[in-house]
Amino acid sequence: MGALGDALYANTGNINMKKEKIITIIFFVFVALVLILGIRGIVGNPTTETINNPIWTSDGPLELSPDRGRFSLMYSIAEDHSVKFSLPIARFTTPDLGISPKGEYVSLFAPGVSFAILPGYYVGKLFGVSQVGAFAVIALFALFNAGLIRAIAMRLGASIYAASFGALAFLFASPAFAYAVTLYQHHISTFLILSSMYVLLRWRGWWGISYIWFAIVLSLSVDYPNLFLMLPLGVWAFSRVVWFEKDSHGFQFQISLLNILTVVSVVLPLAFFLWYNAAANGSPLQLSGTLKRAEAIDEAGKPVQPQLARILGLAELDPNRKKTAIGFFHSRNLLNGFYTHFLSLDRGVVNFAPVMLLGFFGLYYVFKKSITAGKVLVGIIGFNILLYSMWGDPYGGWAFGSRYLIPSYAVLGIGIAMLLEYAKKQYIILLVCMALLSQSVWIGVLGAVTSNRNPPQIEILALEKISGHEEKYSFDRNEQYLASNHSKSFVFNTIGYRYMNAPTYRALIAGLVIAMCALLLGGLLFDKQKEKQYE
Amino acid sequence: MSKHYSVGFSISTDKIQRFSVFFERHAMFFLSVILSSVSLVAFMVYYFNGFGLAYNDARSHLDIGRRVVEGLKPGLAQLGSVWLPLTHVLMVPTVWSDFMWHTGLAGALQSMISYVATGLLIYLFLRELGASMIARLVGVAIFASNSNILYLQSTAMTELLLLATMTAGAYQLLLWYKSDNIVFLIKSSFWIMLSTLVRYDGWFLFGFAALLIFFYTIYQKGYWVAEGTVVLYGTLAGFGIGLWFLWNALIFKDPLYFIFGPYSAHAQQSQLEAAGVLATKGDWFLSLKFYVYALAYNSGAFTTVLGFIGAFVMWFNRRENIRVRIASAALIAPFLFNIIALYLGHSVLFIQGLSGDTWFNIRYGVMMMPSLAIFIGYLVDRVRPMRGLIIGLLFFVMFFSITSNDIVTIDDARVGSSQKNVTEVSSWLTRHAKDEKGFVLISAASHDAIIFSSGLPMKKFIHEGTGAYWKSATESPDRWARWIIMRTYSEDDSTWRFVSRSSGFERYNLVGTYPFADIYELKPEYMADLQTDAVLGKQK
């Protein structure tokens, strides 16, 4: 059936191919449908004159500076054909606005996301929904990620039901959903990681290894820390270039000359990376994140310091301070980072996506199937957690849940699939899994249909000083938003609001996902029953 | 693997085995050379950047050692109380040299030797646990590359000596458990005895090891053998403790002077409690939290987590010899001691972010470093499929630890409550008192850092330990002290306490006011009556 067929179908031996095909189609259609229901946006094509209007920014889909930063660069390229920002676009981008060595306003983010969403922007523009089109590209990557998780899990021995369940858990029972419907780098980064993982599992040849190097270098343009997340995959791929075998005489070290040539695949993404840095930042090796930052712009177009940053003392004390790529990571932040990502009320996995923790147990079964795959997956999680625990801002700025752990959620989704597959006779585990999933989906969908504008707990006091009232910082802030009948979903804001209120809309989506997961669980059990019947 | 278009080379099993045997045989030598080189380089780095003497306590330790050999009343009595004596005793052979004193090398030397010794002990410990060569080297590397360990081993602080003696005691205990050979128990007793003379953590290990020995022996051989074994162990290992009580009784007329005396930790903690900053006293959770933070900041959060996982794997591994599992419990003695000490209020830790904006005693978290290194080495050995991954992740974190200059013990020394920038006072003294006759009256308990940093010989100073000089100078300062260094109006400063009540104090001019002390100088018209020679001779 070829690669696509293998990606789509499980070879369980117990379910016939036609049924598998139907389940797969239903899976992808369902995921696409739910993503569409969640995509944020409003009708219209923003222009330089209108883009700073709150309907696009704080009240709209481009509510936070990471969204705006990436949208700005895309818009500049699409409309102004430049990687440097005009003044309205620069103002729109603050507070995460970069200043190039020549004093021009540029993006502070890696450019990959902005270039990737260009096609969606153009297509959307034709229909008068350019912003939605741009966001839809990210949703598409999220869809691919769900498919890849499913495919990888099936490759590792999970049934089609367990694998599909794991994929849904990743996408809808974690903050991944909230970032699948807006403009962040996480799903593209995760796609590169998962696709590389799948390629390494599926193929051993020249093209596969070439893809890994290509993906690693390309991932730099999506988000600079991806280099570390892709490291385990790079090591695995490297083991196919240089390897050793043990026999009765000793150790044989081999180097594949053909596979060495695969390094040629880095040329294109590297050229893009270096070109962009040179064009925007003034030097091929000057990373965007290391540029000087302008948090606000005054009437005259000059950089100034905004109020919240002044109160918190978060603004750069020395704007001329030299920043380095690795200078953002401090090992002393690890303890606070661990706590933030896992336990904190404002970001912790325990609060936002407790079902994901079951994935850790499932990884044990990955090792049973393939030690190498297990090591790589655990390595990805390890590098992800450690890196972003050392990061100076583990909270992810204003965010919904721990967004930096989205690649880990993907791996844990595979773990959940494996746990269900191997523990399908343990009803208590299935029950616990379903209960945790339901709670996690309820929260995950909440984030997707509302907003990601949750401040970290450490900023609350300062925020309350400005606003003059109590400020929430966990998903209860989203509940508050939803309760006032607000949603940032494009579908809700164009059609849905006529038929139901925002809480009902959320309940509908969450209900659909939970029902689908329950069906998959039922399928898993029924499949087991059928096995018994044939025994 | 496809062999098409590939080149390769092979190494025979025979060669590998010969190399392994060679390396195994000479591993201790290679490790000694490497660790010694690293130790030396680290010392030089911290000597040249000045951080080697940043700790106030380091300067005090050096001064105590110096006072034994030089001063107005040299002698062993200068070892004092409160701080246990072994560190200072070990300085005596070298601290007479001004160079060794003022570079800090007199104290750092034992730290450096202890650093090398602890690294070797970790290797040996893991070897006894049956760990592979890679696992042993990982364990050593984790300890040896820790930036806080590297800093502390370059200073005249007591932590490394304690780690070496405690680890040696735990290692010999392990050997005894495995072989039941009484010689190892005697050796363990010896090392634990030494640790009891370094810091009070050693006293806890003494008691904890006694419990391990007792309960194991009673289970294996019955009560009477257990009693005898513990008596043997206790007599040897507790010798140092007994000596210390005796010392306090003889010198200070009170065997408990080190606990309740004016300069004791108890006195310090009482003040802190009165100020409301002894948060951990009576609170188990807070004590645990503070120490875990200290552990994580010193050893690295990831290292700490891995270490605990390694400990868990070791203790719950049913395939592991029960004797080994019990013996290795000695490795958590520092962890238990510090938490109990915090809970009882005998110890204080300030963690930036938890207890305000400063650090104090954060270096206590380094006490578990050898134990964590051993646990991780064990983990790396037992979880072989994950070995490469664990090592990779450890290197990953270490890389950022180096690039972010994450050395919390230096922060403690530089900006925490353990630092005293006394440069202004000591510089004044160096400029004005160095080539002039006359003594400086100063409280060593409060201003040892000034004494050290001034670069002046110890016999220039009249302090609490100079016996009759101190008594005379505090009663009639104008007859004995040309300069007085003290914190004016501070009743904690013993010089102020006495001198402010003396009529002779009126004969001084205030010539300098600085953050940590003020300087007074005798008015010129009273110089004629000033005693400038050490006329009181040898005192008993």
Side-chain angles (χ1 to χ4, degrees), chain B residues 292-308:
Chain B
V292 167
Y293 265 75
L295 202 56
Y297 282 140
N298 278 274
S299 313
F302 183 56
T303 309
T304 304
V305 168
L306 275 187
F308 279 117

Side-chain angles (χ1 to χ4, degrees), chain A residues 204 228 231-232 239-240 243 245 247-259 326 329-336 338-339 367 371 374-376 378-380 382-383 386-387 390, chain B residues 1-14 16 292-293 296-297 300-302 305 352 359 385-387 389 392-393 396-397 399-409 411:
Chain A
R204 304 182 73 84
F228 297 109
L231 205 55
S239 72
R240 293 181 183 174
W243 70 91
E245 290 162 351
D247 60 26
S248 54
H249 303 293
F251 285 93
Q252 301 279 335
F253 287 88
Q254 297 285 339
I255 303 171
S256 167
L257 296 174
L258 191 65
N259 286 347
I326 51 176
F329 300 97
H330 296 266
S331 55
R332 198 175 298 177
N333 294 335
L334 268 173
L335 201 57
N336 182 53
F338 282 157
Y339 169 77
F367 275 95
I371 290 179
K375 280 197 283 192
V376 171
V378 172
I380 291 168
F383 279 102
L386 286 173
L387 189 69
M390 290 191 283
Chain B
M1 287 282 181
S2 168
K3 290 195 168 71
H4 294 307
Y5 309 112
S6 66
V7 294
F9 61 93
S10 60
I11 303 176
S12 68
T13 312
D14 190 44
I16 293 169
V292 167
Y293 265 75
Y297 282 140
F302 183 56
V305 168
Q352 195 176 65
W359 303 100
M386 300 280 280
R387 178 183 295 178
L389 179 61
L393 290 174
F396 181 65
V397 174
F399 170 77
F400 284 105
S401 170
I402 293 168
T403 57
S404 62
N405 218 20
D406 182 8
I407 312 174
V408 73
T409 44
D411 292 341

Side-chain angles (χ1 to χ4, degrees), chain A residues 409-437:
Chain A
Y409 302 146
V411 173
L412 292 172
I414 297 170
I416 289 172
M418 300 301 286
L419 176 70
L420 287 178
E421 183 59 35
Y422 280 87
K424 58 188 173 190
K425 294 180 183 176
Q426 322 271 353
Y427 293 122
I428 189 77
I429 290 178
L430 301 185
L431 215 62
V432 168
C433 188
M434 197 62 214
L436 289 177
L437 177 115

Side-chain angles (χ1 to χ4, degrees), chain A residues 57-111:
Chain A
T57 57
S58 53
D59 298 340
L62 298 159
E63 57 185 0
L64 290 167
S65 54
D67 305 83
R68 295 198 299 272
R70 291 171 172 103
F71 192 86
S72 299
L73 179 59
M74 181 275 307
Y75 188 92
S76 259
I77 295 165
E79 303 297 340
D80 301 333
H81 309 296
S82 169
V83 294
K84 288 153 194 172
F85 298 161
S86 61
L87 205 50
I89 298 300
R91 206 180 297 280
F92 169 73
T93 312
T94 56
D96 283 332
L97 175 66
I99 307 174
S100 75
K102 287 182 184 169
E104 293 151 323
Y105 292 125
V106 291
S107 174
L108 264 186
F109 300 99

Side-chain angles (χ1 to χ4, degrees), chain A residues 153-358:
Chain A
M154 290 193 296
R155 273 253 130 207
L156 292 170
S159 67
I160 195 167
Y161 299 108
S164 302
F165 187 102
L168 293 183
F170 156 70
L171 192 48
F172 300 122
S174 78
F177 191 14
Y179 290 93
V181 297
T182 180
L183 203 51
Y184 281 74
Q185 75 278 25
H186 304 298
H187 278 285
I188 301 182
S189 300
T190 305
F191 171 77
L192 291 170
I193 291 168
L194 290 174
S195 59
S196 301
M197 184 76 198
Y198 182 76
V199 161
L200 284 168
L201 275 173
R202 179 74 177 80
W203 295 285
R204 304 182 73 84
W206 200 89
W207 287 106
I209 300 172
S210 300
Y211 177 75
I212 305 307
W213 309 137
F214 176 84
I216 288 175
V217 178
L218 186 64
S219 73
L220 264 182
S221 295
V222 174
D223 199 18
Y224 304 124
N226 283 340
L227 185 68
F228 297 109
L229 303 189
M230 302 282 281
L231 205 55
L233 296 155
V235 170
W236 192 2
F238 187 71
S239 72
R240 293 181 183 174
V241 180
V242 178
W243 70 91
F244 70 88
E245 290 162 351
K246 195 178 174 192
D247 60 26
S248 54
H249 303 293
F251 285 93
Q252 301 279 335
F253 287 88
Q254 297 285 339
I255 303 171
S256 167
L257 296 174
L258 191 65
N259 286 347
I260 283 179
L261 293 176
T262 57
V263 79
V264 145
S265 65
V266 312
V267 170
L268 272 177
L270 191 61
F272 169 72
F273 178 76
L274 295 172
W275 162 79
Y276 176 80
N277 288 341
N281 309 333
S283 158
L285 296 177
Q286 174 86 53
L287 302 181
S288 299
T290 61
L291 294 172
K292 269 195 288 186
R293 194 162 163 245
E295 294 179 17
I297 301 177
D298 63 16
E299 295 295 325
K302 295 276 184 321
V304 290
Q305 190 182 30
Q307 185 185 14
L308 180 58
R310 259 205 309 279
I311 292 169
L312 289 170
L314 289 180
E316 289 173 351
L317 299 171
D318 177 12
N320 297 314
R321 177 173 59 94
K322 191 164 166 48
K323 289 191 275 188
T324 60
I326 51 176
F328 294 105
F329 300 97
H330 296 266
S331 55
R332 198 175 298 177
N333 294 335
L334 268 173
L335 201 57
N336 182 53
F338 282 157
Y339 169 77
T340 300
H341 289 306
F342 285 95
L343 298 174
S344 67
L345 287 173
D346 55 346
R347 299 287 182 269
V349 173
V350 162
N351 290 302
F352 282 79
V355 70
M356 284 292 134
L357 298 174
L358 295 178

